[in-house]
Coordinates of all heavy atoms in Angstrom, one line a residue:
M809 N -209.0 -39.4 65.9 CA -209.4 -37.9 65.8 C -210.7 -37.7 66.4 O -211.7 -38.4 66.1 CB -209.3 -37.5 64.4 CG -209.4 -36.0 64.2 SD -209.1 -35.5 62.6 CE -207.4 -35.0 62.7
T810 N -210.9 -36.7 67.3 CA -212.2 -36.4 67.9 C -212.9 -35.3 67.2 O -212.3 -34.4 66.6 CB -211.9 -36.0 69.4 OG1 -211.1 -34.9 69.4 CG2 -211.4 -37.2 70.2
S811 N -214.2 -35.3 67.2 CA -214.9 -34.3 66.6 C -215.3 -33.3 67.6 O -216.1 -33.5 68.5 CB -216.2 -34.8 65.9 OG -217.0 -35.5 66.8
E812 N -214.8 -32.1 67.5 CA -215.0 -31.0 68.5 C -215.7 -29.8 67.8 O -215.5 -28.7 68.2 CB -213.7 -30.6 69.1 CG -213.1 -31.6 70.1 CD -213.7 -31.5 71.5 OE1 -213.9 -30.3 71.9 OE2 -213.9 -32.5 72.2
S813 N -216.4 -30.1 66.8 CA -216.9 -29.0 65.9 C -217.9 -28.1 66.7 O -218.1 -27.0 66.4 CB -217.6 -29.5 64.7 OG -218.5 -30.5 65.0
S814 N -218.6 -28.7 67.7 CA -219.6 -28.0 68.4 C -219.1 -27.5 69.8 O -219.8 -27.4 70.7 CB -220.9 -28.8 68.6 OG -220.6 -30.0 69.3
Y815 N -217.8 -27.3 69.8 CA -217.2 -26.9 71.0 C -217.8 -25.6 71.5 O -217.9 -24.6 70.8 CB -215.7 -26.6 70.7 CG -214.8 -26.4 71.9 CD1 -214.4 -27.5 72.7 CD2 -214.5 -25.2 72.3 CE1 -213.6 -27.3 73.8 CE2 -213.7 -25.0 73.4 CZ -213.2 -26.1 74.1 OH -212.5 -25.9 75.2
P816 N -218.4 -25.6 72.7 CA -219.1 -24.4 73.2 C -218.3 -23.5 74.1 O -218.1 -23.7 75.3 CB -220.2 -25.1 74.0 CG -219.6 -26.4 74.5 CD -218.5 -26.7 73.7
P817 N -217.8 -22.4 73.6 CA -217.1 -21.4 74.4 C -218.1 -20.5 75.1 O -218.3 -19.4 74.7 CB -216.3 -20.6 73.4 CG -217.0 -20.8 72.1 CD -217.9 -22.0 72.2
R818 N -218.7 -21.0 76.1 CA -219.8 -20.2 76.8 C -219.2 -18.9 77.4 O -219.7 -17.9 77.4 CB -220.3 -21.1 78.0 CG -221.2 -22.2 77.5 CD -221.6 -23.1 78.7 NE -220.4 -23.6 79.3 CZ -220.3 -24.2 80.4 NH1 -221.4 -24.5 81.1 NH2 -219.2 -24.6 80.9
H819 N -218.0 -19.1 78.0 CA -217.3 -17.9 78.5 C -215.8 -18.2 78.5 O -215.5 -19.3 78.0 CB -217.8 -17.5 79.9 CG -217.9 -18.7 80.8 ND1 -216.8 -19.4 81.3 CD2 -218.9 -19.4 81.3 CE1 -217.2 -20.4 82.1 NE2 -218.5 -20.5 82.0
S820 N -215.0 -17.3 78.9 CA -213.6 -17.5 78.7 C -212.9 -18.3 79.8 O -211.7 -18.3 80.0 CB -212.9 -16.1 78.6 OG -213.1 -15.4 79.8
V821 N -213.7 -19.0 80.6 CA -213.1 -19.9 81.6 C -213.6 -21.3 81.5 O -214.8 -21.5 81.4 CB -213.4 -19.4 83.1 CG1 -212.8 -20.3 84.1 CG2 -212.9 -18.0 83.3
L822 N -212.7 -22.2 81.4 CA -213.1 -23.6 81.3 C -212.6 -24.3 82.6 O -211.6 -23.9 83.1 CB -212.5 -24.3 80.1 CG -213.1 -24.0 78.8 CD1 -212.3 -24.6 77.7 CD2 -214.6 -24.4 78.7
D823 N -213.3 -25.4 83.0 CA -212.8 -26.1 84.1 C -212.1 -27.4 83.6 O -212.5 -28.0 82.7 CB -213.9 -26.5 85.0 CG -214.3 -25.4 85.9 OD1 -213.5 -24.5 86.2 OD2 -215.5 -25.3 86.3
V824 N -211.0 -27.7 84.2 CA -210.2 -28.9 83.9 C -210.1 -29.8 85.1 O -209.9 -29.3 86.2 CB -208.8 -28.4 83.5 CG1 -207.9 -29.6 83.1 CG2 -208.8 -27.5 82.3
T825 N -210.4 -31.0 84.9 CA -210.3 -32.0 86.0 C -208.8 -32.4 86.2 O -208.2 -32.7 85.2 CB -211.1 -33.2 85.7 OG1 -212.5 -32.8 85.5 CG2 -211.1 -34.2 86.9
E826 N -208.4 -32.3 87.4 CA -207.1 -32.7 87.7 C -207.2 -33.8 88.8 O -208.1 -33.8 89.6 CB -206.3 -31.6 88.3 CG -206.1 -30.4 87.4 CD -204.9 -30.6 86.5 OE1 -203.8 -30.2 86.9 OE2 -205.1 -31.1 85.4
G827 N -206.3 -34.8 88.7 CA -206.4 -35.8 89.7 C -205.7 -37.1 89.2 O -204.5 -37.0 88.8
M828 N -206.3 -38.2 89.3 CA -205.7 -39.5 89.1 C -205.0 -39.6 87.7 O -204.0 -40.2 87.6 CB -206.7 -40.6 89.3 CG -207.3 -40.7 90.6 SD -208.6 -41.9 90.7 CE -209.8 -41.2 89.6
S829 N -205.7 -39.0 86.7 CA -205.2 -39.2 85.4 C -204.3 -38.1 85.0 O -203.9 -37.9 83.9 CB -206.4 -39.2 84.4 OG -207.1 -38.0 84.5
E830 N -203.9 -37.3 86.0 CA -203.1 -36.1 85.7 C -201.7 -36.6 85.1 O -201.1 -37.5 85.6 CB -202.8 -35.4 87.1 CG -202.0 -34.2 87.0 CD -202.0 -33.5 88.3 OE1 -203.1 -33.4 88.9 OE2 -200.9 -33.1 88.7
K831 N -201.4 -35.9 84.1 CA -200.1 -36.2 83.5 C -199.0 -35.3 84.0 O -199.1 -34.1 84.0 CB -200.2 -36.0 81.9 CG -200.9 -37.1 81.2 CD -200.6 -37.0 79.7 CE -201.2 -38.1 78.9 NZ -202.7 -38.0 78.8
V832 N -198.0 -35.9 84.6 CA -196.9 -35.1 85.1 C -195.7 -35.4 84.4 O -195.3 -36.5 84.2 CB -196.7 -35.4 86.6 CG1 -195.5 -34.6 87.2 CG2 -198.0 -35.1 87.4
T833 N -195.1 -34.3 83.9 CA -193.9 -34.5 83.1 C -192.6 -34.5 83.9 O -192.7 -34.4 85.2 CB -193.8 -33.4 82.0 OG1 -193.8 -32.2 82.7 CG2 -194.9 -33.5 81.0
G834 N -191.5 -34.6 83.4 CA -190.3 -34.6 84.1 C -190.1 -33.4 85.0 O -189.5 -33.4 86.0
S835 N -190.7 -32.3 84.5 CA -190.5 -31.0 85.3 C -191.4 -31.0 86.5 O -191.2 -30.2 87.4 CB -190.8 -29.8 84.4 OG -192.2 -29.8 84.1
G836 N -192.3 -31.9 86.6 CA -193.2 -32.0 87.8 C -194.4 -31.2 87.7 O -195.3 -31.3 88.5
R837 N -194.5 -30.3 86.7 CA -195.7 -29.5 86.6 C -196.6 -30.0 85.4 O -196.1 -30.1 84.3 CB -195.4 -28.0 86.3 CG -194.8 -27.3 87.6 CD -194.4 -25.9 87.3 NE -195.5 -25.1 87.0 CZ -195.4 -23.8 86.5 NH1 -194.2 -23.4 86.2 NH2 -196.4 -23.1 86.3
P838 N -197.9 -30.2 85.7 CA -198.8 -30.7 84.7 C -199.1 -29.5 83.7 O -198.9 -28.4 84.0 CB -200.0 -31.0 85.4 CG -200.0 -30.3 86.7 CD -198.5 -30.1 87.1
W839 N -199.4 -29.9 82.5 CA -199.7 -28.9 81.5 C -200.8 -29.4 80.5 O -201.1 -30.6 80.5 CB -198.4 -28.7 80.7 CG -197.7 -29.9 80.2 CD1 -196.8 -30.7 80.8 CD2 -197.9 -30.6 78.9 NE1 -196.4 -31.8 80.1 CE2 -197.1 -31.7 78.9 CE3 -198.7 -30.3 77.8 CZ2 -197.1 -32.6 77.8 CZ3 -198.7 -31.2 76.7 CH2 -197.9 -32.3 76.7
I840 N -201.3 -28.5 79.8 CA -202.3 -28.8 78.8 C -201.8 -28.2 77.5 O -200.9 -27.4 77.4 CB -203.7 -28.2 79.1 CG1 -203.6 -26.7 79.3 CG2 -204.2 -28.8 80.4 CD1 -204.9 -26.0 79.5
Q841 N -202.4 -28.7 76.4 CA -202.0 -28.3 75.1 C -203.2 -27.5 74.5 O -204.4 -27.9 74.6 CB -201.8 -29.5 74.2 CG -201.2 -29.2 72.9 CD -199.7 -29.2 72.9 OE1 -199.0 -28.5 73.6 NE2 -199.1 -30.2 72.3
V842 N -202.9 -26.3 74.1 CA -204.0 -25.4 73.5 C -203.7 -25.0 72.1 O -202.6 -24.6 71.8 CB -204.1 -24.1 74.4 CG1 -205.2 -23.2 73.9 CG2 -204.4 -24.5 75.8
W843 N -204.7 -25.2 71.3 CA -204.6 -24.8 69.9 C -205.3 -23.5 69.6 O -206.5 -23.4 69.9 CB -205.2 -25.9 69.0 CG -205.3 -25.6 67.6 CD1 -206.5 -25.2 66.9 CD2 -204.3 -25.6 66.5 NE1 -206.2 -25.0 65.6 CE2 -204.9 -25.2 65.3 CE3 -202.9 -25.9 66.6 CZ2 -204.2 -25.1 64.1 CZ3 -202.2 -25.9 65.4 CH2 -202.8 -25.5 64.2
F844 N -204.6 -22.5 69.2 CA -205.2 -21.2 68.9 C -205.5 -21.2 67.4 O -204.6 -21.2 66.6 CB -204.3 -20.1 69.3 CG -204.2 -19.9 70.7 CD1 -203.2 -20.4 71.5 CD2 -205.2 -19.1 71.4 CE1 -203.1 -20.2 72.8 CE2 -205.1 -18.9 72.8 CZ -204.1 -19.5 73.5
E845 N -206.8 -21.1 67.0 CA -207.1 -21.2 65.6 C -206.6 -20.0 64.8 O -206.2 -20.1 63.7 CB -208.7 -21.3 65.5 CG -209.1 -22.7 65.8 CD -210.6 -22.9 65.5 OE1 -211.3 -21.9 65.2 OE2 -211.1 -24.0 65.7
C846 N -206.7 -18.8 65.4 CA -206.3 -17.6 64.6 C -204.8 -17.6 64.4 O -204.4 -17.0 63.4 CB -206.9 -16.3 65.3 SG -205.8 -15.6 66.5
A847 N -204.1 -18.1 65.3 CA -202.6 -18.1 65.1 C -202.2 -19.4 64.4 O -201.1 -19.4 63.8 CB -202.0 -18.0 66.5
G848 N -203.0 -20.4 64.4 CA -202.6 -21.7 63.8 C -201.4 -22.3 64.5 O -200.5 -22.8 63.9
A849 N -201.4 -22.2 65.8 CA -200.3 -22.6 66.6 C -200.7 -23.3 67.9 O -201.7 -22.9 68.5 CB -199.3 -21.5 66.9
Y850 N -199.9 -24.2 68.3 CA -200.2 -24.9 69.6 C -199.4 -24.1 70.7 O -198.4 -23.5 70.4 CB -199.6 -26.3 69.6 CG -200.3 -27.3 68.8 CD1 -199.8 -27.7 67.6 CD2 -201.5 -27.8 69.3 CE1 -200.5 -28.6 66.8 CE2 -202.2 -28.8 68.5 CZ -201.7 -29.2 67.3 OH -202.3 -30.1 66.6
Q851 N -199.9 -24.1 71.9 CA -199.2 -23.7 73.0 C -199.3 -24.7 74.1 O -200.3 -25.3 74.3 CB -199.8 -22.4 73.6 CG -199.4 -21.1 72.7 CD -198.9 -20.0 73.6 OE1 -199.3 -19.8 74.7 NE2 -197.9 -19.4 73.1
K852 N -198.1 -24.9 74.7 CA -198.1 -25.8 75.9 C -198.2 -24.9 77.1 O -197.4 -24.0 77.3 CB -196.8 -26.6 75.8 CG -196.6 -27.7 76.8 CD -195.3 -28.4 76.5 CE -195.1 -29.5 77.5 NZ -193.8 -30.2 77.3
V853 N -199.2 -25.2 77.9 CA -199.5 -24.3 79.0 C -199.3 -25.0 80.3 O -200.0 -26.0 80.6 CB -200.9 -23.7 78.9 CG1 -201.2 -22.7 80.1 CG2 -201.1 -23.0 77.6
F854 N -198.4 -24.5 81.1 CA -198.2 -25.1 82.4 C -199.1 -24.6 83.5 O -199.6 -23.5 83.4 CB -196.7 -24.9 82.9 CG -195.7 -25.7 82.1 CD1 -195.1 -25.1 81.0 CD2 -195.5 -27.0 82.5 CE1 -194.2 -25.9 80.3 CE2 -194.6 -27.7 81.7 CZ -193.9 -27.2 80.6
R855 N -199.4 -25.4 84.4 CA -200.3 -25.0 85.5 C -199.7 -23.9 86.3 O -198.5 -23.9 86.5 CB -200.7 -26.2 86.4 CG -201.9 -26.0 87.3 CD -202.4 -27.3 87.8 NE -201.5 -27.9 88.8 CZ -201.8 -29.0 89.4 NH1 -202.9 -29.6 89.2 NH2 -201.0 -29.5 90.3
S856 N -200.5 -23.0 86.9 CA -200.0 -21.9 87.7 C -199.3 -22.5 88.9 O -199.6 -23.6 89.4 CB -201.2 -21.0 88.1 OG -202.1 -21.7 88.9
I857 N -198.5 -21.6 89.5 CA -197.8 -22.0 90.7 C -198.7 -22.5 91.8 O -198.4 -23.5 92.5 CB -196.9 -20.8 91.2 CG1 -195.9 -20.4 90.1 CG2 -196.2 -21.2 92.5 CD1 -194.9 -21.4 89.8
D858 N -199.8 -21.8 92.0 CA -200.7 -22.2 93.1 C -201.6 -23.3 92.7 O -202.4 -23.8 93.5 CB -201.5 -21.0 93.6 CG -202.5 -20.4 92.5 OD1 -202.6 -21.0 91.4 OD2 -203.1 -19.3 92.7
G859 N -201.5 -23.8 91.5 CA -202.2 -25.0 91.1 C -203.7 -24.8 90.8 O -204.4 -25.8 90.7
T860 N -204.2 -23.6 90.7 CA -205.6 -23.4 90.6 C -206.1 -23.2 89.2 O -207.2 -23.3 88.9 CB -206.1 -22.2 91.4 OG1 -205.4 -21.0 91.0 CG2 -205.8 -22.4 92.9
R861 N -205.1 -22.9 88.3 CA -205.6 -22.6 86.9 C -204.5 -22.6 85.9 O -203.3 -22.7 86.3 CB -206.2 -21.2 86.9 CG -205.3 -20.0 87.1 CD -206.1 -18.7 87.1 NE -207.1 -18.7 88.1 CZ -208.5 -18.8 87.8 NH1 -208.9 -18.8 86.6 NH2 -209.4 -18.9 88.8
Y862 N -204.9 -22.7 84.7 CA -204.0 -22.5 83.5 C -204.4 -21.2 82.8 O -205.6 -20.9 82.7 CB -204.2 -23.7 82.6 CG -203.8 -25.0 83.1 CD1 -204.7 -25.8 83.8 CD2 -202.5 -25.6 82.8 CE1 -204.4 -27.1 84.2 CE2 -202.2 -26.8 83.3 CZ -203.2 -27.6 83.9 OH -202.8 -28.8 84.4
T863 N -203.4 -20.5 82.4 CA -203.7 -19.3 81.6 C -202.9 -19.4 80.3 O -201.7 -19.4 80.2 CB -203.3 -18.0 82.3 OG1 -204.0 -18.0 83.6 CG2 -203.7 -16.8 81.5
A864 N -203.7 -19.5 79.2 CA -203.1 -19.5 77.8 C -203.3 -18.2 77.1 O -204.3 -17.6 77.2 CB -203.8 -20.6 77.0
T865 N -202.2 -17.8 76.4 CA -202.3 -16.5 75.7 C -202.0 -16.7 74.2 O -201.0 -17.4 73.9 CB -201.3 -15.5 76.3 OG1 -201.5 -15.4 77.7 CG2 -201.5 -14.1 75.6
C866 N -202.9 -16.3 73.4 CA -202.8 -16.4 72.0 C -201.6 -15.7 71.5 O -201.4 -14.5 71.8 CB -204.0 -16.0 71.3 SG -203.9 -16.0 69.5
P867 N -200.7 -16.3 70.8 CA -199.4 -15.7 70.3 C -199.7 -14.6 69.2 O -198.8 -13.8 68.9 CB -198.6 -16.8 69.8 CG -199.5 -17.9 69.5 CD -200.7 -17.7 70.4
K868 N -200.9 -14.7 68.6 CA -201.1 -13.7 67.6 C -202.0 -12.5 68.0 O -201.6 -11.4 67.9 CB -201.9 -14.4 66.4 CG -202.0 -13.6 65.2 CD -202.6 -14.3 64.1 CE -202.7 -13.5 62.8 NZ -203.4 -14.2 61.7
C869 N -203.1 -12.8 68.6 CA -204.0 -11.7 69.0 C -203.9 -11.3 70.5 O -204.5 -10.3 70.9 CB -205.5 -12.0 68.6 SG -206.3 -13.2 69.6
G870 N -203.3 -12.1 71.2 CA -203.1 -11.8 72.6 C -204.2 -12.1 73.6 O -204.2 -11.8 74.7
K871 N -205.3 -12.8 73.0 CA -206.4 -13.1 73.8 C -206.0 -14.1 74.9 O -205.2 -15.0 74.7 CB -207.5 -13.8 73.0 CG -208.7 -14.3 73.8 CD -209.8 -14.8 72.9 CE -210.9 -15.5 73.8 NZ -212.1 -15.7 73.1
Q872 N -206.5 -13.9 76.1 CA -206.2 -14.8 77.2 C -207.3 -15.7 77.5 O -208.5 -15.3 77.5 CB -205.9 -14.0 78.5 CG -204.5 -13.5 78.5 CD -204.0 -13.2 79.9 OE1 -204.8 -13.1 80.8 NE2 -202.7 -13.2 80.1
M873 N -207.0 -17.0 77.7 CA -208.0 -18.0 78.0 C -207.6 -18.6 79.3 O -206.5 -19.1 79.5 CB -208.0 -19.0 76.9 CG -209.1 -20.1 77.0 SD -210.7 -19.4 76.5 CE -211.7 -20.8 77.0
K874 N -208.6 -18.6 80.3 CA -208.3 -19.2 81.6 C -209.0 -20.5 81.7 O -210.1 -20.7 81.3 CB -208.7 -18.2 82.7 CG -207.9 -17.0 82.8 CD -208.3 -16.2 84.0 CE -207.3 -15.1 84.3 NZ -207.1 -14.1 83.2
F875 N -208.2 -21.4 82.3 CA -208.8 -22.8 82.6 C -208.7 -23.0 84.1 O -207.7 -23.1 84.7 CB -208.0 -23.8 81.9 CG -207.9 -23.7 80.4 CD1 -207.0 -22.9 79.8 CD2 -208.8 -24.4 79.6 CE1 -207.0 -22.8 78.4 CE2 -208.8 -24.3 78.2 CZ -207.9 -23.4 77.6
G876 N -209.9 -23.0 84.7 CA -209.9 -23.3 86.1 C -209.7 -24.8 86.4 O -210.0 -25.6 85.5
V877 N -209.1 -25.1 87.5 CA -208.9 -26.5 87.8 C -209.8 -26.9 88.9 O -209.9 -26.2 90.0 CB -207.4 -26.7 88.3 CG1 -207.2 -28.1 88.8 CG2 -206.4 -26.3 87.2
G878 N -210.6 -27.9 88.7 CA -211.5 -28.4 89.7 C -212.3 -29.6 89.3 O -212.3 -30.0 88.1
P879 N -213.0 -30.2 90.2 CA -213.8 -31.4 89.9 C -215.0 -31.0 89.0 O -215.5 -29.9 89.1 CB -214.3 -31.8 91.3 CG -214.2 -30.6 92.2 CD -213.1 -29.8 91.6
G880 N -215.4 -31.9 88.2 CA -216.5 -31.7 87.3 C -216.1 -31.0 86.0 O -216.9 -30.7 85.2
G881 N -214.8 -30.7 85.8 CA -214.4 -30.1 84.6 C -214.1 -31.2 83.6 O -214.3 -32.4 83.7
R882 N -213.6 -30.7 82.5 CA -213.2 -31.6 81.4 C -211.9 -32.3 81.7 O -211.1 -31.7 82.3 CB -213.1 -30.8 80.1 CG -214.3 -30.1 79.6 CD -214.0 -29.0 78.6 NE -213.4 -29.6 77.5 CZ -214.0 -29.8 76.3 NH1 -215.3 -29.6 76.2 NH2 -213.4 -30.3 75.3
S883 N -211.9 -33.5 81.3 CA -210.7 -34.3 81.6 C -209.7 -34.2 80.4 O -208.6 -34.8 80.4 CB -211.0 -35.8 81.9 OG -211.7 -36.3 80.8
D884 N -210.1 -33.5 79.4 CA -209.2 -33.3 78.2 C -207.9 -32.6 78.6 O -207.8 -31.8 79.5 CB -209.9 -32.5 77.1 CG -211.2 -33.1 76.7 OD1 -211.5 -34.1 77.2 OD2 -211.8 -32.5 75.8
R885 N -206.9 -33.0 77.8 CA -205.6 -32.3 78.0 C -205.3 -31.4 76.8 O -204.3 -30.8 76.6 CB -204.4 -33.3 78.1 CG -204.5 -34.1 79.3 CD -204.2 -33.3 80.6 NE -205.5 -33.0 81.2 CZ -205.6 -32.3 82.4 NH1 -204.6 -31.9 83.0 NH2 -206.8 -32.1 82.8
F886 N -206.3 -31.4 75.9 CA -206.1 -30.7 74.6 C -207.3 -29.8 74.4 O -208.5 -30.2 74.5 CB -206.0 -31.6 73.4 CG -205.8 -31.0 72.1 CD1 -204.6 -30.5 71.7 CD2 -206.9 -30.7 71.3 CE1 -204.4 -29.9 70.5 CE2 -206.8 -30.1 70.1 CZ -205.5 -29.7 69.7
F887 N -207.1 -28.5 74.1 CA -208.2 -27.6 74.0 C -208.0 -26.8 72.7 O -206.9 -26.6 72.3 CB -208.3 -26.6 75.2 CG -208.6 -27.3 76.4 CD1 -207.6 -27.8 77.2 CD2 -209.9 -27.5 76.8 CE1 -207.9 -28.5 78.4 CE2 -210.2 -28.2 78.0 CZ -209.2 -28.7 78.8
R888 N -209.1 -26.4 72.1 CA -209.0 -25.6 70.9 C -209.8 -24.3 71.1 O -210.9 -24.3 71.6 CB -209.8 -26.4 69.8 CG -209.7 -25.7 68.5 CD -209.8 -26.8 67.5 NE -210.7 -26.7 66.4 CZ -211.1 -27.7 65.7 NH1 -210.7 -28.9 66.0 NH2 -211.8 -27.6 64.6
I889 N -209.2 -23.2 70.8 CA -209.8 -21.9 71.0 C -209.8 -21.1 69.7 O -208.8 -21.0 69.0 CB -208.9 -21.1 72.0 CG1 -208.9 -21.9 73.3 CG2 -209.4 -19.7 72.2 CD1 -208.0 -21.3 74.4
S890 N -211.0 -20.6 69.4 CA -211.2 -19.8 68.3 C -211.2 -18.3 68.8 O -212.0 -18.0 69.6 CB -212.4 -20.1 67.5 OG -213.3 -20.9 68.2
C891 N -210.3 -17.5 68.3 CA -210.2 -16.2 68.9 C -210.0 -15.2 67.7 O -210.0 -15.6 66.6 CB -209.1 -16.1 69.9 SG -207.5 -16.7 69.4
Ligands
LIG2000 ZN1 -205.9 -15.3 68.6

């Protein structure tokens, strides 16, 4: 279990590193797992068609969280959002 208590939501866009460690499922599209605290639910978010970002939407409050894809981003596949 990782300690992410000081998770810094500076703004609503996070960068995600994609590349060698990219997990590709049977469907061929990489995805990330997002935990929405206010909804208490996970969402599996697939990468956009153009491959530049992930967009997660909270099932409860509707807040959108965008994850840019690029070098220098986090290599995590799991994100936690308080909204
Ligand atoms: Zn929410």
Side-chain angles (χ1 to χ4, degrees):
M809 190 171 262
T810 56
S811 57
E812 289 272 323
S813 52
S814 62
Y815 192 79
R818 288 170 305 172
H819 46 73
S820 62
V821 179
L822 286 175
D823 284 331
V824 178
T825 303
E826 299 273 273
M828 297 174 296
S829 62
E830 185 174 314
K831 284 197 177 71
V832 177
T833 57
S835 67
R837 285 176 70 190
W839 50 271
I840 57 175
Q841 191 92 291
V842 180
W843 170 259
F844 287 97
E845 286 187 352
C846 87
Y850 290 103
Q851 281 232 323
K852 189 175 175 180
V853 181
F854 287 94
R855 198 163 67 177
S856 64
I857 301 294
D858 63 8
T860 61
R861 65 183 60 251
Y862 295 86
T863 303
T865 305
C866 177
K868 187 173 181 184
C869 73
K871 174 176 175 165
Q872 279 205 339
M873 186 76 186
K874 289 185 168 60
F875 299 86
V877 175
R882 298 162 62 98
S883 58
D884 299 2
R885 297 290 98 180
F886 179 84
F887 296 90
R888 182 152 135 197
I889 298 176
S890 15
C891 50

